[in-house]
Amino acid sequence: MTSRVDLEAVEKANTAFYEAMERGDFEALSDLWLTGDEGDGVSCVHPGWPVLTGRGEVLRSYALIMANTEYIQFFLTDLKIAVNGDTALVTCTENILSGAPSEEAGELGPLVGQLVVASNLFRRTPSGWQLWSHHASPVLAERAEDDEEAVEGNE
């Protein structure tokens, strides 16, 4: 049976991951990923990217994203947490609002919304729950035209 304490600790670690991204806090984000020999086994899949493996490669990807994202905010929905021993899985929908750097100094670029489903895998360590893997995939929204074509095709 999963303890309430474990569930809350995993949720706190998951929240810290997204808050570090929102703040652009690379150091805090780095602290959340497994280190040492375990860090060699981390993996990450950003939407549209190939699989990244190893702590260095994964953290470089976040440094690149942070350097090229002026603003990002995550609204998490459909959050589910499962803990099994020293491993925890968090699944959620990331409702993302982001803005790229503007061409005009001091202004925010255009904001873009994106819907992504994510799985975050954590391992319990002496330092607390740390990320082992993050996998995010875009949700392809159906267009109204597609729905109309499907209905017409069934007539």
Side-chain angles (χ1 to χ4, degrees):
M1 183 170 165
T2 302
S3 79
R4 187 88 192 115
V5 172
D6 282 343
L7 291 172
E8 289 172 359
V10 170
E11 184 173 10
K12 184 177 178 183
N14 193 68
T15 299
F17 169 62
Y18 289 101
E19 288 177 349
M21 281 290 297
E22 288 178 343
R23 290 190 316 270
D25 188 340
F26 183 75
E27 188 174 320
L29 184 114
S30 297
D31 290 344
L32 294 167
W33 286 87
L34 288 172
T35 59
D37 291 340
E38 291 181 324
D40 293 339
V42 303
S43 67
C44 181
V45 177
H46 299 293
W49 291 41
V51 177
L52 304 173
T53 55
R55 181 177 163 81
E57 193 170 311
V58 168
L59 292 180
R60 275 191 293 281
S61 74
Y62 282 102
L64 182 63
I65 291 168
M66 289 177 174
N68 291 289
T69 305
E70 187 74 22
Y71 172 84
I72 192 163
Q73 189 170 10
F74 295 89
F75 300 95
L76 302 182
T77 56
D78 309 316
L79 189 74
K80 293 182 179 57
I81 302 170
V83 178
N84 187 346
D86 290 337
T87 305
L89 175 64
V90 178
T91 59
C92 62
T93 301
E94 301 173 351
N95 301 270
I96 305 170
L97 185 60
S98 62
S102 173
E103 293 178 19
E104 305 264 339
E107 293 189 19
L108 183 62
L111 293 177
V112 177
Q114 186 177 13
L115 198 59
V116 172
V117 290
S119 297
N120 298 320
L121 190 58
F122 291 87
R123 288 186 55 190
R124 186 192 321 262
T125 71
S127 305
W129 291 95
Q130 291 187 296
L131 273 162
W132 185 6
S133 180
H134 170 74
H135 187 126
S137 298
V139 175
L140 302 178
E142 289 186 31
R143 297 185 329 223
E145 296 169 7
D146 294 339
D147 291 341
E148 290 172 15
E149 290 172 10
V151 170
E152 290 171 4
N154 291 328
E155 291 178 0

